Amino acid sequence: MQKKWIIKEQADDSEIDQMAQSINVSKPIAGLLLQRGINSCDAARVFFRPDLQKLYNPFLMKDMDKAVARLEQAIVERENVLIYGDYDVDGTTSVAMMYVFLKSKCRNVFYYVPDRYTEGYGISYQGIDYAAEKDCKLIIALDCGIKAVPKVEYATKHGIDFIICDHHEPGEQLPQAIAVLDPKRADCQYPFNELSGCGVGFKLIQAYAIAKKIPFYQIKPFLDLVVVSIASDIVPIVDENRILAHFGLRQINNNPRVGLRAVMKKSGITPPPERSKIYNFGDEYEPTEVTDFVPIKINDIVFKIGPRINAAGRMDKGRAAVDLLVERNMQNAEKLADHIEKNNADRKEQDKTITEEAKEKINSSQELLNRKSTILYNPEWHKGVIGIVASRLIDYYYRPTIICTKSNGLITGSARSIPDFNLYEAIDRCQDLLESFGGHMYAAGLTLKEENLQAFIDKFERIAVEMITDDMVVPHIDFDSEIRIADITPKFFKWLGQIEPFGPGNMSPMFVARHIYAKAQCVGQNSEHLKLFISDEPNGRQLPAIAFRQSEFFDYIQAGNPFDACFSVESNVFRGKESLQMRVHDIKKCE
């Protein structure tokens, strides 16, 4: 699929020169910093040196004082407490974190993760009934609950209070909980509203620690779970999330909890050396930090750790992920990780099968091919992977996509979007045909009755035709700057590393090099990828590169023809040795 390359707004040459001189970096690095709003030595110091002291006061969040007071009441009065969270990575990391924190403080603390297939997303009546059976007087909901108005009312009638820790958009009415912690509340003045669900839960723990004078280092180990949630839930890694992610990566590279260590082994990541003592909440010491090169990065979480934790809720029971993340015995953790690895293998197989079925359905219908949106329904498709399939189809057809299946007598759909199309707004305009929906601009979920499906398809398509311009359906790559291959030195790469952690709001820099040359070879099981050695001139200094699924350019490049490349720069670790390489995202022949 032909892609459009769009250069991001550039700073003036004079600004770049001044910034490069003031902090002693190359011009390309200075330009990258200015694009990120870093325009002074002081701003650079804050950016390059994340500081836990710069975390915001959690009591700035609306209802935080009420939440801490109710939590303290539960602890003092030795109440039973239920930790309730969603079945995805953000939810299960949140539940594991809060459970470990509270289990030494409450008389009895339990955790509950709803079943994707029998209960669906969010607070369920079954979960509240479970709390009542366990004689719980308090439910702490994490990564869900902001729209659970009738469920909280039901709990209140059963003598159960709620503390809600969520980060999703609220509805018109907030639940009548004891405390509703959500920085997206219209009346919340918290300085940063892009925390993950686990991040909001961590702020509650931080607030309780402040109130009870618990040293911060005792809650710091929870940051390994927080960074997994930040990376997996794709929240912006800026502001407070940058600090949490930075120190979370330190924790995960220094002394991750047993469950994460077991997942790393299954995913092919070499975990850090095991410590002689496993840190548990309440230990009266601060672990020694490793300050050397950090081998595990955000991408490792996004593509290796996160999908495995997610697979439990997609294919089986989300509770299994929490069981793993709270486990302290390595042997038990490895058994749980084995089970989740099987879930992940099943998820991959279902993903592949349904994607191919969906592509065949679209390609066999000229009407579907010509639409501005894709909405497909098959009652047999696996509910746990339809969101992944929606994302896959965007790679092929590049338009808003909703994949639907049947669950509990209703059609349930998972939606994904393209840049500049507000998916949530479009679905909201169809709410008269829906039973429920939720999400944000780029991803959403919905349920509807089968008799309303065709009307929903037609109405959503009309909205897509109205909102989508021709330019929006051409995939584009936004790149930061043009650069010469000669500029990509080890020193340059070291500075790039200082800009990490990368993610939304601070994406890995993308570059374009013009009129370059390469030696090429086809690699991969089906020779579908290119291994390249790229240089500015035919016989210039070469840099290794990988170009996935771009073997169509082999003959052209190997014949010595010049080309333009859009690429990022990354480290490649092979047999324990690290080297610098380019990852080529797109190639264009020179005219």
Side-chain angles (χ1 to χ4, degrees):
M1 188 181 291
Q2 187 69 34
K3 295 182 176 68
K4 184 178 180 181
W5 298 357
I6 300 174
I7 189 167
K8 295 178 183 177
E9 185 176 349
Q10 304 291 296
D12 293 338
D13 288 342
S14 59
E15 289 181 280
I16 292 174
D17 288 340
Q18 183 178 350
M19 188 68 178
Q21 291 173 13
S22 65
I23 63 173
N24 192 27
V25 296
S26 67
K27 290 183 180 180
I29 294 295
L32 292 175
L33 294 176
L34 287 166
Q35 283 175 324
R36 286 156 173 74
I38 303 158
N39 54 13
S40 68
C41 286
D42 288 341
R45 189 177 299 110
V46 171
F47 183 79
F48 286 128
R49 298 176 186 171
D51 185 354
L52 288 168
Q53 298 297 319
K54 302 292 186 183
L55 291 176
Y56 297 121
N57 183 341
F59 286 99
L60 294 174
M61 195 176 294
K62 182 74 173 180
D63 280 1
M64 185 61 79
D65 53 342
K66 297 176 183 177
V68 171
R70 183 62 184 88
L71 183 57
E72 175 64 3
Q73 177 188 333
I75 293 169
V76 170
E77 297 182 6
R78 300 175 59 80
E79 294 176 348
N80 293 355
V81 177
L82 180 70
I83 313 300
Y84 188 112
D86 190 23
Y87 39 68
D88 66 1
V89 179
D90 196 10
T92 52
T93 52
S94 301
V95 171
M97 174 185 67
M98 192 63 68
Y99 175 78
V100 172
F101 177 71
L102 288 180
K103 69 177 183 177
S104 64
K105 298 182 171 297
C106 298
R107 184 183 66 175
N108 285 309
V109 57
F110 307 93
Y111 55 86
Y112 188 93
V113 177
D115 185 278
R116 181 190 289 264
Y117 306 100
T118 61
E119 297 170 77
Y121 169 79
I123 309 299
S124 70
Y125 291 112
Q126 294 97 312
I128 296 170
D129 290 341
Y130 177 84
E133 290 170 14
K134 296 294 184 182
D135 193 30
C136 294
K137 302 301 181 187
L138 174 65
I139 296 175
I140 302 176
L142 297 143
D143 189 38
C144 60
I146 194 62
K147 291 185 176 180
V149 175
K151 311 293 175 57
V152 171
E153 184 179 335
Y154 177 80
T156 301
K157 290 177 180 177
H158 285 73
I160 301 171
D161 292 334
F162 256 93
I163 294 173
I164 292 172
C165 303
D166 206 346
H167 69 131
H168 296 100
E169 291 289 345
E172 293 182 5
Q173 179 184 355
L174 291 177
Q176 293 299 304
I178 293 295
V180 178
L181 306 178
D182 187 337
K184 288 189 171 72
R185 284 180 60 168
D187 59 349
C188 181
Q189 301 302 311
Y190 194 71
F192 183 64
N193 70 351
E194 294 293 349
L195 292 167
S196 65
C198 190
V200 176
F202 183 78
K203 299 306 292 189
L204 173 56
I205 290 175
Q206 184 191 5
Y208 183 84
I210 290 171
K212 304 304 293 182
K213 296 183 171 51
I214 297 171
F216 187 85
Y217 71 77
Q218 289 194 12
I219 66 171
K220 191 175 175 184
F222 291 124
L223 293 180
D224 62 355
L225 293 173
V226 176
V227 73
V228 169
S229 79
I230 287 172
S232 301
D233 220 51
I234 319 179
V235 293
I237 306 184
V238 298
D239 204 299
E240 190 166 40
N241 278 344
R242 178 175 171 82
I243 300 172
L244 294 170
H246 174 87
F247 287 96
L249 284 172
R250 278 199 183 185
Q251 182 66 32
I252 213 169
N253 280 284
N254 177 49
N255 193 19
R257 65 197 60 247
V258 169
L260 288 179
R261 188 181 292 275
V263 174
M264 289 177 204
K265 290 180 179 179
K266 292 297 174 187
S267 64
I269 297 172
T270 302
E274 293 191 38
R275 304 282 171 175
S276 58
K277 177 176 173 57
I278 297 174
Y279 184 87
N280 294 299
F281 174 73
D283 289 348
E284 293 296 330
Y285 78 102
E286 182 166 11
T288 303
E289 289 187 348
V290 174
T291 56
D292 297 335
F293 169 73
V294 176
I296 299 169
K297 299 187 178 183
I298 291 293
N299 272 0
D300 295 311
I301 299 173
V302 171
F303 295 110
K304 296 180 180 180
I305 296 173
R308 284 167 169 81
I309 296 173
N310 229 348
R314 289 189 183 278
M315 309 306 295
D316 191 7
K317 305 288 186 185
R319 182 183 176 90
V322 182
D323 292 341
L324 172 64
L325 294 174
V326 303
E327 180 58 57
R328 294 176 56 184
N329 179 279
M330 193 65 204
Q331 190 174 6
N332 292 341
E334 287 179 343
K335 290 179 181 177
L336 291 166
D338 283 337
H339 180 71
I340 285 178
E341 187 68 15
K342 182 181 182 303
N343 291 153
N344 195 48
D346 293 343
R347 186 270 305 170
K348 288 180 179 179
E349 185 60 34
Q350 289 280 352
D351 169 11
K352 181 180 178 181
T353 299
I354 297 172
T355 298
E356 289 305 313
E357 290 177 2
K359 285 170 59 182
E360 184 178 346
K361 185 177 283 194
I362 294 171
N363 294 337
S364 63
S365 169
Q366 197 61 44
E367 180 190 355
L368 291 177
L369 283 170
N370 291 338
R371 281 177 172 264
K372 291 285 190 180
S373 65
T374 296
I375 303 179
L376 299 178
Y377 169 60
N378 185 326
E380 302 302 318
W381 282 344
H382 198 292
K383 184 181 177 183
V385 299
I386 55 175
I388 301 173
V389 172
S391 296
R392 299 258 191 256
L393 293 180
I394 288 177
D395 291 339
Y396 290 100
Y397 305 102
Y398 206 69
R399 59 198 185 194
T401 301
I402 306 175
I403 302 301
C404 303
T405 189
K406 198 162 191 176
S407 178
N408 296 326
L410 291 172
I411 290 177
T412 182
S414 194
R416 299 293 183 269
S417 191
I418 57 175
D420 303 322
F421 180 82
N422 192 323
L423 182 68
Y424 185 87
E425 177 187 331
I427 293 174
D428 181 59
R429 289 172 61 180
C430 300
Q431 65 175 283
D432 58 307
L433 298 168
L434 304 176
E435 298 303 300
S436 64
F437 71 98
H440 50 77
M441 181 171 177
Y442 295 117
L446 54 90
T447 61
L448 70 159
K449 294 177 180 177
E450 193 160 1
E451 57 264 32
N452 289 333
L453 177 61
Q454 191 57 51
F456 171 68
I457 292 172
D458 295 341
K459 185 171 184 178
F460 190 88
E461 174 67 12
R462 288 196 300 272
I463 293 168
V465 169
E466 172 192 324
M467 294 174 64
I468 295 175
T469 64
D470 290 341
D471 190 58
M472 287 168 63
V473 292
V474 177
H476 62 266
I477 299 177
D478 297 326
F479 68 94
D480 294 79
S481 64
E482 293 190 12
I483 193 171
R484 287 172 46 82
I485 303 302
D487 292 329
I488 305 170
T489 63
K491 183 177 180 180
F492 173 83
F493 183 61
K494 185 177 179 180
W495 273 107
L496 279 187
Q498 297 297 306
I499 300 175
E500 294 187 51
F502 296 132
N506 183 39
M507 298 298 290
S508 176
M510 196 77 71
F511 305 100
V512 163
R514 305 282 188 185
H515 212 88
I516 55 178
Y517 299 83
K519 301 296 182 184
Q521 64 185 86
C522 291
V523 296
Q525 187 174 4
N526 299 309
S527 298
E528 68 271 36
H529 312 309
L530 286 180
K531 178 68 177 175
L532 303 168
F533 293 89
I534 298 178
S535 57
D536 288 312
E537 296 88 24
N539 296 310
R541 167 180 166 267
Q542 294 180 334
L543 273 183
I546 187 72
F548 292 112
R549 294 180 294 279
Q550 297 186 65
S551 59
E552 64 193 89
F553 295 101
F554 172 76
D555 290 336
Y556 177 86
I557 292 173
Q558 192 62 9
N561 293 306
F563 63 98
D564 298 340
C566 189
F567 63 93
S568 54
V569 185
E570 62 184 18
S571 62
N572 179 41
V573 180
F574 182 69
R575 293 179 179 173
K577 292 186 178 180
E578 184 196 13
S579 61
L580 183 157
Q581 87 170 3
M582 300 162 58
R583 173 169 291 200
V584 177
H585 299 272
D586 200 26
I587 292 172
K588 291 184 179 179
K589 298 176 182 179
C590 289
E591 298 294 334

